[in-house]
């Protein structure tokens, strides 16, 4: 089935600014609360949020097999469970409805009143109920930088890293959408030169620039997903800030890896951009040497050219861009990650989220964490307001943005913006 929604010549009868992340060729999916306090599934074109529940009730999806309440729910899980054919049919239909040459909704003022909201009049929610969250560690540059800092610089990568997409299971209960502030966590740390740990606020809070993909129901327990089929089970992608408490992490990560240093908060952008929308931006990933084992081998273009930035905004001050990176730098592809994740028969469900791991590039300005940008705090970054940062201060807001762009179209993710608050104090 062709992806007609991607037609670069298509224009919408809704106004869309030239540099908008959300032209009619995007059509992401999300969940929002309307000004009438109704939660609905929706999409976005320009600065307009579109109520898909209202569109369905008005019969604009006639001919597509959908349950009666498909878009009247508070998560996208059921829609994602319907699979790739349904996703494409719905996205193509939305593009047709909002095409500038289609008068069906364009000229129906009564229906438009029920369907269309300005983005400032809705409150974005977490788009899926995330049952499980896995975070990978798939940037060679990031893994190398961390290895140089904490281990032998001559052997920065551990022996397994070039053979498997390394990952760990995170905590889905702490995943929040953009705009929700997070508190500086408390935890155990071991001060330099001491033998006994202390309990108190983390002193070295960091961001990690990541992206994540959302899966559909992929397999039954015991069944693996071949690498060449894996992309069929990926619905779309979001931006992800994997907040990290570096001092807590340093003390706890041996022998079992990340725990309290990571699970206190993970922030994601609220609009899921579909893999169909990202299709024009496929590119080749880095050369993999040594050649992966057969179950991870793939040919062709399985990386995506997604420009990424990170800004730090102190309270009552302008923001400073501290990082320029790109998703195409990832050593292990999403399909390799999903194939490896299920190679032992692990079940993957609709709404599961898989983080990419920190996305660092080859140059110092493309490092995807403060740990790397300041090299463990040794080289502070100067912000536009004249202050310096080794890590993230209380009341700083971290803003991550991402977009793809070619000669024909720009497809973006919006942003994930999160403010770091002081530690939570019980009243």
């Amino acid at each position: 089935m062709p992806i007609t929604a991607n037609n670069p010549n298509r224009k919408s009868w809704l106004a869309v600014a030239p540099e908008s992340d959300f032209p009619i060729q995007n059509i992401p999916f999300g969940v929002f609360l309307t000004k009438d306090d109704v939660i609905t599934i929706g999409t976005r074109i320009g600065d307009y949020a579109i109520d898909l529940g209202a569109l369905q009730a008005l019969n604009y999806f006639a001919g597509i097999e959908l349950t009666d309440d498909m878009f009247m729910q508070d998560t996208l899980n059921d829609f994602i469970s319907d699979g790739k054919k349904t996703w494409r049919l719905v996205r193509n239909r939305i593009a047709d409805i909002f095409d500038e040459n289609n008068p069906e909704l364009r000229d129906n003022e009564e229906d438009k009143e029920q369907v269309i909201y300005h983005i400032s009049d809705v409150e974005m929610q977490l788009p899926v109920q995330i049952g499980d969250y896995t975070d990978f560690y798939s940037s060679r540059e990031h893994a190398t930088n961390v290895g140089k800092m904490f281990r032998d610089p001559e052997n920065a990568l551990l022996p397994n890293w070039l053979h498997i997409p390394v990952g760990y299971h995170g905590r889905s209960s702490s995943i929040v959408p953009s705009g929700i502030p997070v508190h500086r966590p408390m935890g155990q740390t071991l001060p330099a030169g001491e033998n006994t740990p202390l309990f108190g606020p983390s002193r070295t809070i960091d961001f990690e620039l990541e992206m994540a993909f959302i899966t559909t129901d992929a397999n039954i327990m015991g069944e693996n997903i071949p690498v060449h089929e894996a992309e069929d089970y990926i619905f779309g992608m979001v931006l992800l800030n994997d907040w990290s408490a570096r001092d807590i992490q340093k003390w706890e990560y041996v022998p079992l890896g990340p725990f309290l240093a990571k699970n206190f908060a993970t922030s994601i952008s609220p609009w899921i951009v579909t893999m169909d929308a990202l299709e024009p931006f496929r590119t080749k990933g880095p050369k993999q040497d040594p050649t992966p084992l057969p179950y991870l081998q793939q040919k062709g273009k399985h990386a995506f050219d997604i420009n990424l930035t990170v800004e730090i905004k102190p309270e009552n001050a302008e923001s400073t861009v501290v990082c320029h990176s790109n998703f195409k730098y990832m050593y292990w592809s999403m399909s390799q990650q999903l194939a490896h994740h299920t190679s032992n028969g692990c079940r993957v469900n609709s709404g599961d989220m898989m983080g990419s791991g920190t996305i660092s590039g080859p140059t110092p300005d493309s490092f995807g964490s403060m740990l790397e940008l300041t090299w463990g705090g040794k080289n502070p970054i100067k912000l536009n307001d004249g202050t310096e940062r080794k890590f993230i201060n209380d009341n700083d807001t971290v803003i991550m943005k991402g977009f793809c762009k070619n000669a024909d179209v720009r497809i973006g993710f919006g942003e994930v913006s999160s403010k770091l608050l002081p530690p939570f104090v019980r009243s």
Side-chain angles (χ1 to χ4, degrees):
M1 182 196 315
I3 313 173
T4 58
N6 286 9
N7 180 353
N9 298 316
R10 191 192 289 271
K11 291 186 176 3
S12 174
W13 46 264
L14 288 171
V16 180
E19 289 301 298
S20 171
D21 280 352
F22 303 101
I24 195 171
Q25 290 82 7
N26 191 338
I27 311 180
F29 291 88
V31 174
F32 58 81
L33 182 70
T34 72
K35 57 187 177 184
D36 300 316
D37 288 330
V38 175
I39 291 182
T40 186
I41 289 171
T43 188
R44 178 173 177 176
I45 297 177
D47 288 332
Y48 297 96
I50 295 153
D51 185 340
L52 297 182
L55 265 185
Q56 183 179 9
L58 293 166
N59 210 33
Y60 280 87
F61 293 117
I64 301 177
E65 290 187 16
L66 300 169
T67 56
D68 291 343
D69 65 343
M70 177 64 80
F71 296 122
M72 301 168 195
Q73 303 182 40
D74 57 5
T75 75
L76 280 158
N77 292 60
D78 281 358
F79 175 60
I80 295 173
S81 287
D82 260 19
K84 194 170 186 176
K85 179 182 176 182
T86 299
W87 312 336
R88 189 168 293 180
L89 283 169
V90 167
R91 190 166 163 273
N92 284 347
R93 178 68 58 85
I94 294 169
D96 289 340
I97 293 168
F98 288 91
D99 189 290
E100 65 178 352
N101 297 314
N102 186 346
E104 185 180 12
L105 180 60
R106 182 194 68 194
D107 297 344
N108 189 324
E109 296 301 324
E110 186 177 341
D111 285 3
K112 283 197 294 186
E113 184 70 22
Q114 298 181 58
V115 169
I116 302 170
Y117 297 85
H118 193 273
I119 196 67
S120 61
D121 293 329
V122 303
E123 182 180 321
M124 298 305 299
Q125 309 292 303
L126 204 64
V128 290
Q129 182 177 351
I130 301 167
D132 283 297
Y133 162 44
T134 300
D135 193 28
F136 285 94
Y137 188 54
S138 291
S139 162
R140 182 170 185 167
E141 289 81 3
H142 174 67
T144 300
N145 288 337
V146 173
K148 285 178 179 178
M149 272 186 266
F150 294 115
R151 291 190 299 275
D152 177 6
E154 299 301 315
N155 297 284
L157 290 179
L158 291 171
N160 64 357
W161 199 93
L162 293 171
H163 295 277
I164 60 173
V166 175
Y168 72 95
H169 292 280
R171 181 75 181 173
S172 59
S173 63
S174 304
I175 300 171
V176 294
S178 178
I180 303 296
V182 303
H183 286 275
R184 181 179 294 271
M186 306 288 285
Q188 280 196 28
T189 60
L190 184 68
E194 298 293 330
N195 295 317
T196 304
L198 301 176
F199 183 83
S202 169
R203 296 177 180 274
T204 52
I205 296 298
D206 201 354
F207 64 79
E208 288 192 345
L209 171 62
E210 300 193 26
M211 299 198 71
F213 64 87
I214 309 296
T215 66
T216 187
D217 298 299
N219 60 342
I220 58 174
M221 189 170 172
E223 178 187 20
N224 70 296
I225 299 173
V227 68
H228 62 275
E229 294 180 11
E231 287 182 4
D232 291 338
Y233 300 101
I234 300 175
F235 174 64
M237 300 182 70
V238 295
L239 301 169
L240 185 151
N241 180 1
D242 187 25
W243 292 94
S244 299
R246 298 299 184 187
D247 46 358
I248 296 174
Q249 184 178 3
K250 184 177 181 180
W251 170 235
E252 74 177 3
Y253 86 103
V254 177
L256 289 181
F259 184 36
L260 301 184
K262 298 278 192 176
N263 71 6
F264 66 95
T266 303
S267 304
I268 66 171
S269 53
W271 294 107
I272 304 175
V273 178
T274 64
M275 300 314 297
D276 273 0
L278 296 172
E279 192 65 33
F281 304 97
R282 284 184 179 273
T283 187
K284 284 194 171 184
K287 178 177 173 55
Q288 294 184 323
D289 184 18
T291 302
L293 293 177
Y295 79 101
L296 290 173
Q297 290 176 16
Q298 57 184 174
K299 296 180 180 179
K301 298 178 178 180
H302 297 281
F304 293 84
D305 185 3
I306 304 172
N307 301 288
L308 301 165
T309 59
V310 183
E311 302 172 26
I312 298 175
K313 185 182 185 305
E315 194 165 36
N316 302 317
E318 66 174 307
S319 63
T320 303
V321 176
V322 297
C323 168
H324 293 271
S325 194
N326 195 298
F327 185 67
K328 69 183 179 183
Y329 297 141
M330 301 306 291
Y331 187 85
W332 294 104
S333 71
M334 291 182 286
S335 45
Q336 288 174 318
Q337 289 170 341
L338 187 55
H340 181 66
H341 201 315
T342 62
S343 62
N344 67 344
C346 175
R347 183 174 174 181
V348 170
N349 298 315
S350 173
D352 285 356
M353 188 174 86
M354 313 281 178
S356 63
T358 304
I359 304 166
S360 293
T363 58
D365 68 333
S366 65
F367 295 165
S369 66
M370 293 295 281
L371 179 69
E372 298 164 90
L373 289 166
T374 69
W375 210 252
K378 295 177 182 176
N379 306 309
I381 292 174
K382 191 164 188 177
L383 303 186
N384 290 334
D385 68 348
T387 62
E388 291 186 339
R389 293 292 184 279
K390 296 180 180 179
F391 291 94
I392 305 302
N393 287 358
D394 287 349
N395 300 309
D396 284 348
T397 298
V398 177
I399 305 164
M400 297 178 177
K401 300 178 182 179
F403 70 92
C404 315
K405 190 172 184 179
N406 59 25
D408 299 314
V409 69
R410 172 191 169 109
I411 301 292
F413 292 79
E415 66 180 32
V416 53
S417 175
S418 318
K419 187 174 185 177
L420 180 65
L421 300 179
F424 182 84
V425 177
R426 286 190 176 275
S427 55

